[in-house]
Amino acid sequence: MSVSVKSLLSTLSARGPHRVLRGNLGIAGQPGVVYTPESGLNLPAVAFAHGWLTSSDNYKSLLEHVASWGFVVAAPDTERGPIPSHLDLGTDLLTTLDIVSKVRLGDGTISVHPDRLALAGHGMGAGAAVIAAAQRRVAAVAALFPAPTSPTAENIAPELDTPGLILAGALDLDSVSSNARALATAWSGPSILRTVDGASHNGIVEGRRLFAALGAGRYEHKTEKTTRALLTGYLLNTLLGDKTYAPFADPEAAIPHTHVVDPHAPVEEETPKLSIGTVAKLIRG
């Protein structure tokens, strides 16, 4: 009997079966952090890029969660200032992949399979992941709530035949802070654009109380919970070929709390709302 997607989503939103270890990428010359299962050979790996004015610490729960499901997850801690270089962050992602895929981790009992690599990121980091994917073949790319970058990720996406998962906030899919639709439209390979119900583009960022006070968005536990399940399921299927989680890489699958968006469908423009005063004036002629 097959397991329902709702049940799978619930399972994947909970911590996985592996005890997670944390390491310092700086030992290998790249500022950043790496999370790994306690042991395992030929594991899949993900290099993750942070968003604007954040660091890997702001994604601790998300990164640890993916690692608990058997992945090596590494995140560079560079380009954290107000004027970051998206190109350099993409380069650091590739350096991070080189480190985790070529060096034995932990006490030597952890290794990564060179063909089971993925790139992921949030906000500007999603764009950096796309930039990096154009320079190195990986098994999958995950763009979580992507934001505009320079160079623009949607100009690079036509070069990618890599499978891609693009998540966007249902509240701001077509806002100036999101280029998710344009990215999905331009993507050459098999891609999925999925919106998360009630989510805003900074909802997965932890600990941004100062920025929340300035209107930059608050941490949303429900958004982060759904996102980590979607990301984990997608990676389990695309990197490991686990058919149990095929719905997470299927653009036709209905997943609770999300909606698949056809990026090529015409966008309906909202009819401008008239104030009561304007309506009264029109009635009076």
Side-chain angles (χ1 to χ4, degrees), residues 25 30-31 33 46-48 74-76 91-101:
L25 282 177
Q30 171 65 58
V33 65
V46 186
F48 181 90
T91 298
D92 291 336
L93 279 176
L94 296 178
T95 299
T96 297
L97 275 187
D98 283 338
I99 292 171
V100 299
S101 62

Side-chain angles (χ1 to χ4, degrees), residues 144-166:
L144 310 181
F145 310 93
T149 55
S150 179
T152 58
E154 53 265 40
N155 285 347
I156 295 173
E159 304 174 22
L160 301 181
D161 58 3
T162 308
L165 172 66
I166 304 166

Side-chain angles (χ1 to χ4, degrees), residues 191-236:
S191 65
I192 303 171
L193 171 58
R194 198 176 281 276
T195 59
V196 179
D197 294 350
S200 60
H201 66 283
N202 275 328
I204 67 171
V205 180
E206 304 169 51
R208 295 189 76 188
R209 292 185 179 87
L210 173 61
F211 295 100
L214 297 174
R218 296 178 182 275
Y219 171 70
E220 301 160 0
H221 175 68
K222 288 184 178 179
T223 297
E224 196 267 338
K225 183 179 180 181
T226 301
T227 298
R228 68 193 184 204
L230 294 172
L231 176 61
T232 303
Y234 184 78
L235 294 175
L236 283 169

